[in-house]
Amino acid sequence: MIAHVAQTGEDRGRVVLQVRSGRPSTIALEAAVRIAQAFQSEIESLFVQDEQLIDCAAYAFVRETSLNGRQRRVMSPDGVAHDMHLAATGARRQIEELARRADVPLRSRIVRDEPLRALSIACAETGPWNVVALGEPFTGSTGDMLKQLLIEVAGATGLVLVGPQARRTTGPVIVAVEDIDRLPTMLKAAERLAALDGAQIILLLVASDDERLQWMDGQARLVVEAREDVRIASAEVAHGEAAVIAETLRRMRGGFVIGQFGGLLVPDEGDLRPLGTALECPLFLVR
C-alpha cells in the first residue's frame, strides 16, 4: 500500500481527522496538520457523536459517574447529545487554530453514527487517497480496533495515531522497515515530512535475526546510496518482543514514525501497551 494522501483540489481524498471528545490530544491534531502540510492536502474534521452511547443513555438505570467517583447524575439522550455538541464546538476551535497557522484548508462536520461506520462513509465519499487520523490516543487494547479499521475502511491508505505519552511532532522522521520492498514508498512519505523543517531521516531496520538484518542493511544502502540526510540503524527483535522496538524508538526521540501494520512493530494481534508507553511522537501506519 502506498503511503499517500490526495492533494487539495484532486477530489480523491484528504486527511480525515476523527474526534470523539472535547479534549482530543493536541499532538494528534498537530500530527494530522503536519501530514496535510507534507502532502499539500486538506483536512476534514469529523466529530463523531457515538450513536450507541446516546442510545444507552435512554435506559433509566444508566448513571454518569465523575472521575473521582464522588458525583453521579442521571443521563438522557438529549443531555448526552448536548454535551457532545459542546465538546465538538470546543474541539473544532482548537483544530481551526492549528490549521489556520499552518495554512491548511479545513472542513468540519458533526455526524451521529457508530465511529467505524462514520469513518468508512467519509472515506468512501472521496477517495481512494485518504489518511485517517485519530484524535484520541490509542491504548493497549486498541489493536483489534486498528485491525478492524484498516480492513473495513477501504478508502484509506494509512492511519495516523498517537499514544498516551505523545509530546512532540518535530525531530527525525523514523521509518521502521520490516519489508525491504516497501522501503521506496515509505521513504517518499518520510521525505515529505522531513522537508517541513529539514529533519533527518532514520531507517530503522527491524528483523528477528542478525543475518536478515545484515541483508536488509545491504539492500537499504542500495536504495539510499550516499545520502547524507539518511541514517541507517537496526533493531534485532528476538522472540518477537515488540517492547525492544518501542524502547529503541523512544531513545531515538523522533518527531514522526512511519511503520507498517501487522508486523513486529504493530502486530495485528497482541498488546500495544509497550508501544503506547514508549512512543513519544505520532505514528503513521500503512497497511
Side-chain angles (χ1 to χ4, degrees), residues 2 23 29 32-33 38 50 67 81 102 105 108 155 162 189 193 202-203 234 242:
I2 300 173
R23 294 185 177 180
L29 304 187
V33 170
D50 194 331
L67 291 176
S108 298
V162 301
L193 284 165
I202 301 176
L203 304 183
S234 61

Side-chain angles (χ1 to χ4, degrees), residues 235-256:
E236 182 177 345
V237 187
H239 310 296
E241 287 290 340
V244 175
I245 314 174
E247 177 60 18
T248 301
L249 292 173
R250 187 190 68 80
R251 292 180 180 180
M252 287 181 167
R253 298 185 60 82
F256 235 103

Side-chain angles (χ1 to χ4, degrees), residues 102-115:
D103 196 25
V104 169
L106 171 69
R107 292 180 292 163
S108 298
R109 61 172 161 161
I110 301 173
V111 298
R112 182 179 294 187
D113 206 337
E114 189 276 325

Side-chain angles (χ1 to χ4, degrees), residues 17-28:
L17 171 60
Q18 184 195 71
V19 180
R20 298 173 59 184
S21 72
R23 294 185 177 180
S25 163
T26 299
I27 298 299

Side-chain angles (χ1 to χ4, degrees), residues 203-258:
L203 304 183
L204 178 63
L205 309 179
V206 179
S208 56
D209 62 82
D210 184 63
E211 183 178 354
R212 178 163 177 81
L213 277 178
Q214 291 185 25
W215 176 82
M216 291 176 66
D217 184 274
Q219 297 299 307
R221 293 185 187 280
L222 290 176
V223 173
V224 302
E225 297 180 336
R227 289 178 52 171
E228 294 183 357
D229 62 327
V230 179
R231 178 166 70 89
I232 298 177
S234 61
E236 182 177 345
V237 187
H239 310 296
E241 287 290 340
V244 175
I245 314 174
E247 177 60 18
T248 301
L249 292 173
R250 187 190 68 80
R251 292 180 180 180
M252 287 181 167
R253 298 185 60 82
F256 235 103
V257 173
I258 301 175

